[in-house]
Amino acid sequence: MPGIDWIPGVSQVKALAQAVTGDTEGAMKTMENFCRECPGVSQVTSVVQLAAGDAEGALETQKICLGTVNNVANGIPVIGHAKGIIHHAVGDPEGGNQAFNAATRSTVVISSGAAACIATGGIGAIPAGIAAGVGYDATASAISGEDQGYIAALKNAADNPSAGAFIDALAIPVGDGLAGYSGGQIANKIQLNHLESLRAAKLDRIDAAGTSGEALQLGREANALTSKINTIKYGTPHFWDDAKSGTVVSEASTSNVAIPVVVGPEDALYHDSYVEVIITENNRKEAQKRMYERDKQTPERSISQAYKDVKFISPETLSDLLESTNGDPNRDPNREPNNNLKECVSQLISWSWLALIMPKEFPYTAVTQLNSCHGGLYHSFIRHINEWAQVIPSDLSRVIDRLSPLMAEINDVASANNEFDAAEARNAFLQARRRLNRETYNDLQVALVEIQMTMHRFIQENITFDNYQGRSVNTNGGERLYFKVETEVGPKAMVICLTNERFEPRTGDRRPIRMLLTVFFEPWNVFKSHGMLETKKEMQKKTQK
């Protein structure tokens, strides 16, 4: 292996350390080595030597430089191995063995970094490179009977303690760490190319899918690949609202990186209106059995444990906060900023839980989330704005103008007819929302809080046992409850989608809690055309046993 004296910058630091510690002779030797070993610098040195009449010295300098270049080439995988073959072919077994040894050592270090990167997600590449170098040198020293690499450097530092010897010893693990890191980057690049090729193939097949079910499955597979790709690139599979931390990453970030499409069981899009319900008799019996098994599920954690940073808020508190903003928090350009007002707006637009009291005949109650694009009332509104316009038309008309900055994006979310398109449209909405100035953003979010309060009031008033029709399960395993509601265009079925997980009861209600994922509406004739896993009458019979 070549030393470090030929490396620009590194040799100067080494020489300075030697000079500072009193080893002026060593410092001069380091700089002499640099002038004679470093490509480019050595040629200047030879010209100076020739001009001074030292032709022999100039030739020797070039021989030394060539030896350094040769040693560097020996350490490059494949190139070093090719050199080793050539050395042996021309009758230079010693040179061949040196090339093979250096190239193999580099290969082991880089490969270890690559393997560790894949296994640990990147963090293990550097220590793996160092460990591989130590292991290789220890093994090679034991086999050859001569100290090599780390062993030789450490022995030299012990026998000749000096700044130069310590720096030479330190340079080996630094070099191996960098080589391990490089191996990790190579592995990541190969892995990314493979994953991106697979994703491109999935996306190409979506348009040619024979059925909507096949297209949805391909979309989910593409989403999973996107998650892996972004984990490798950015350390996280997604860049949007993290439901369990309450953090809205897409707003806090100044990055222009596109938000990837990742949809899972906790996402409302996984259970939305385009997902079919189970209606065939064979599927019905199995789904009904699983549904009844879930009914007996014992809660294993509280909702506060599952979603640590999302707090409960009451409708009364929301009303007080809205009143504090005077219903017009940011639209007056002459309004003086007020810390209390800012605090009210901040509380209004943060993520929070609202209780939904289920009928006493139900063995559970519910909560819904405010201000999350990925579930709850906010999601339900932007995804089903056209349906809500028929249910609460006068309330919507009062705030519709304040939604105009993002109305085009909201309409795109609402018009999507499959999971993949809905996720893409929602991501475009999030990116557009992130680009709003603070005043416009706050005003839009407060307007949406007003709508969500109206939605909550409407849902709470209509989830009565008299209105209850029954329940079903969609093909993704999500449960749906059906309530008959009256609207200006006639009766509809209000569809409540709930999480399967039950959470521990809160104070005031001894029933487990389920989380409302989304709400949408079906025309009454559409609702009557599909079956249910359990009707209201079946539920009453079961509870009476």
Side-chain angles (χ1 to χ4, degrees), residues 172-493:
I172 299 177
V174 171
D176 286 344
L178 291 173
Y181 175 80
S182 298
Q185 295 305 298
I186 293 169
N188 275 345
K189 186 65 176 176
I190 294 171
Q191 196 175 14
L192 279 173
N193 288 340
H194 176 64
L195 292 173
E196 287 171 347
S197 296
L198 289 176
R199 180 177 63 177
K202 300 287 185 187
L203 295 175
D204 286 343
R205 290 171 55 195
I206 287 177
D207 289 337
T211 65
S212 60
E214 183 183 352
L216 285 173
Q217 180 60 34
L218 288 167
R220 294 189 193 104
E221 291 172 2
N223 293 345
L225 291 169
T226 298
S227 177
K228 292 179 181 179
I229 289 168
N230 283 283
T231 298
I232 293 172
K233 284 185 175 180
Y234 312 113
T236 177
H238 50 80
F239 297 86
W240 49 38
D241 310 69
D242 182 344
K244 292 194 176 182
S245 69
T247 303
V248 187
V249 179
S250 63
E251 292 167 13
S253 174
T254 58
S255 170
N256 291 321
V257 176
I259 302 171
V261 181
V262 182
V263 175
E266 291 186 345
D267 195 309
L269 292 183
Y270 197 68
H271 305 282
D272 220 306
S273 53
Y274 42 71
V275 185
E276 297 176 352
V277 295
I278 295 174
I279 54 176
T280 63
E281 192 60 29
N282 289 337
N283 288 342
R284 186 179 187 276
K285 290 180 180 179
E286 182 61 30
Q288 194 175 56
K289 178 183 176 182
R290 289 197 300 269
M291 185 175 69
Y292 289 149
E293 288 174 352
R294 284 197 297 266
D295 287 343
K296 301 174 184 178
Q297 185 183 92
T298 301
E300 296 181 354
R301 55 180 177 168
S302 69
I303 199 164
S304 297
Q305 290 173 323
Y307 299 84
K308 298 183 185 299
D309 297 322
V310 184
K311 308 301 182 184
F312 277 84
I313 194 167
S314 68
E316 294 76 19
T317 300
L318 282 174
S319 296
D320 290 343
L321 290 170
L322 275 174
E323 186 176 349
S324 298
T325 66
N326 299 318
D328 189 8
N330 292 297
R331 282 171 284 156
D332 180 2
N334 298 314
R335 178 182 59 81
E336 289 295 324
N338 179 286
N339 286 336
N340 292 332
L341 183 59
K342 289 181 179 179
E343 179 62 28
C344 288
V345 173
S346 177
Q347 291 183 54
L348 272 174
I349 66 178
S350 64
W351 286 19
S352 51
W353 298 117
L354 270 175
L356 277 171
I357 311 302
M358 301 301 289
K360 61 181 177 59
E361 292 83 358
F362 283 49
Y364 54 83
T365 188
V367 297
T368 186
Q369 194 171 42
L370 287 177
N371 302 321
S372 170
C373 284
H374 299 277
L377 300 178
Y378 192 109
H379 163 87
S380 176
F381 179 73
I382 66 171
R383 174 76 184 106
H384 302 286
I385 182 173
N386 297 325
E387 297 165 24
W388 282 106
Q390 296 177 339
V391 177
I392 50 173
S394 58
D395 298 279
L396 180 55
S397 65
R398 288 199 299 268
V399 299
I400 195 70
D401 289 342
R402 294 162 66 187
L403 306 181
S404 59
L406 292 182
M407 187 52 70
E409 287 78 11
I410 292 174
N411 286 334
D412 287 342
V413 175
S415 62
N417 56 18
N418 61 62
E419 180 183 308
F420 184 78
D421 290 345
E424 288 284 0
R426 184 178 63 186
N427 293 342
F429 168 85
L430 285 171
Q431 292 184 29
R433 192 179 71 177
R434 183 179 60 184
R435 292 192 292 268
L436 297 176
N437 63 53
R438 179 51 58 181
E439 287 73 25
T440 303
Y441 170 83
N442 283 348
D443 187 41
L444 180 136
Q445 292 292 87
V446 171
L448 286 168
V449 170
E450 293 178 27
I451 286 292
Q452 290 174 88
M453 289 180 64
T454 303
M455 294 165 61
H456 177 266
R457 186 164 53 250
F458 178 88
I459 295 169
Q460 186 63 78
E461 290 173 353
N462 284 278
I463 51 173
T464 65
F465 199 64
D466 286 341
N467 290 345
Y468 181 62
Q469 303 297 307
R471 58 177 173 162
S472 68
V473 171
N474 66 34
T475 52
N476 283 337
E479 190 169 317
R480 293 175 175 176
L481 310 182
Y482 299 91
F483 295 85
K484 185 177 182 179
V485 297
E486 297 296 333
T487 73
E488 291 189 354
V489 295
K492 287 181 176 289

